Amino acid sequence: MRRTTLTQFLIERERAGRINADLRLLIETIARACKAISVRVNKGSLGGGGASVGVQNVQGETQKALDVLSNEILLEANEWGGNLAALASEEMENPSPIPTHYPRGEYLLLFDPLDGSSNIDVNISTGTIFSVLRCPHGHDGKPCEPDEQAFLQPGNKQVAAGFAVYGPTTILVVTVGDGAHGFTLDRETFSFALTHPEIRIPEETSEFAINTSNMRRWEAPVKRYIDECLAGKDGPRGRDFNMRWVASMVADVFRVISRGGIFMYPRDSKNKDGRLRLMYEANPMAFIVEQAGGAATEGRTRILDIQPKGLHQRIAVVLGSKQEVERVASYHP
Ligand code: F6P
């Protein structure tokens, strides 16, 4: 069976006037970097990727060799293409403007180079998450200054977003604002083939994903929702629920968009602002989930409407099947 490749898919989007050539090339470049990361992840212990490099990133998390390598792969792949003004990453404290010896473009790229990297050593899926914004012009029409301020735009301004899962297969999910579409890496042709067009999340679900070891610290609305799920068919929900938690957001979100479900990393008494990062985890995932017919909130506010205050800001995340997400939101006063 001849499948549409990512290249063909993006050219069709360009012909339809949905994206310009620069954005098409940018997404292709990110996809190429994801292929390179996938190869390195696949080497596992043979590549020494899970070893700590003895350095903490800006989040205070210990970096592993593969975190650093994945960051470098994405930086090197993207800085010379001429379509970006700056890049920002979970692994870098400040945004990195495009070096002056390369042409500057109109886009800003944010990424989490290797999400779920605590899973590298134990042969469980990891992934890459990315978000693309336009670099805004100054008030007086001046060219965009690609500093941190330029990045601080709400998620509803994203022009593209996506994530790769490095699992039993490598899958790339992409949106440019007209649906969410999944591509599987064909290891024979080494190209991404469209295998999951027009992903739709079932509105109802009986499966939740949350780290229940934090239960004693949750706020009342989340505790109520999970208690009701756990009560099963004898409780107020009148049916049994199942629980899944991979501890790699990319893998958990891919499951949710594939067969329905609700994914939560709520704020709690330890992580008062939540744990996940707004700009390169919550926003791109919220964009994809909404494009697939789901919903994403921090409890009271739609994630895509939050005005960011900092590049590495944390946020509570509740996303997935629409009816369940709306139920959790309705429990918040
Ligand atoms: O980026 C943070 C992350 O690794 C996510 O991918 C994942 O959902 C979460 O942390 C796992 O958290 P915990 O360690 O509490 O299970």
Side-chain angles (χ1 to χ4, degrees), residues 14 23 39-40 43 207 251 253 261 275 277 289 305 317:
E14 187 186 341
L23 186 53
V39 169
R40 303 306 292 251
K43 283 190 196 291
E207 196 164 78
V253 170
R275 150 132 195 210
R277 274 46 70 112
V289 164
D305 289 339
V317 174

Side-chain angles (χ1 to χ4, degrees), residues 80-198:
W80 54 270
N83 33 40
L84 285 176
L87 307 99
S89 160
E90 179 186 17
E91 303 300 336
M92 306 186 309
E93 185 164 3
N94 299 308
S96 168
I98 294 302
T100 45
H101 52 276
Y102 294 126
R104 265 195 190 169
E106 60 168 320
Y107 293 107
L108 300 171
L109 173 65
L110 295 117
F111 50 82
D112 177 353
L114 200 63
D115 180 65
S117 55
S118 66
N119 283 326
I120 296 171
D121 299 330
V122 288
N123 200 21
I124 291 177
S125 302
T126 53
T128 297
I129 312 175
F130 70 90
S131 163
V132 183
L133 295 161
R134 263 200 193 87
C135 195
H137 289 282
H139 289 307
D140 38 11
K142 281 200 185 130
C144 160
E145 185 52 51
D147 53 11
E148 176 165 351
Q149 198 54 39
F151 281 86
L152 301 183
Q153 307 176 44
N156 57 37
K157 298 272 194 229
Q158 291 172 105
V159 292
F163 67 96
V165 189
Y166 311 121
T169 55
T170 288
I171 294 206
L172 180 71
V173 178
V174 174
T175 184
V176 292
D178 64 347
H181 311 275
F183 301 81
T184 302
L185 181 60
D186 180 337
R187 295 218 174 244
E188 281 159 26
T189 58
F190 218 55
S191 67
F192 279 110
L194 182 62
T195 45
H196 300 67
E198 308 285 353

Side-chain angles (χ1 to χ4, degrees), residues 206 208 224-242:
S206 298
F208 63 87
R224 173 180 167 194
Y225 177 79
I226 297 297
D227 280 348
E228 289 179 1
C229 293
L230 293 174
K233 56 177 180 310
D234 303 326
R237 303 301 308 274
R239 64 181 197 269
D240 289 339
F241 278 73
N242 190 21

Side-chain angles (χ1 to χ4, degrees), residues 61 90 112 115-118 211 214 245 247-250 252 263 265 275-277 281:
E61 294 159 350
E90 179 186 17
D112 177 353
D115 180 65
S117 55
S118 66
N211 183 346
N214 297 320
W245 184 250
S248 268
M249 189 189 197
V250 285
D252 280 314
F263 168 93
Y265 216 120
R275 150 132 195 210
L276 302 175
R277 274 46 70 112
E281 291 183 315

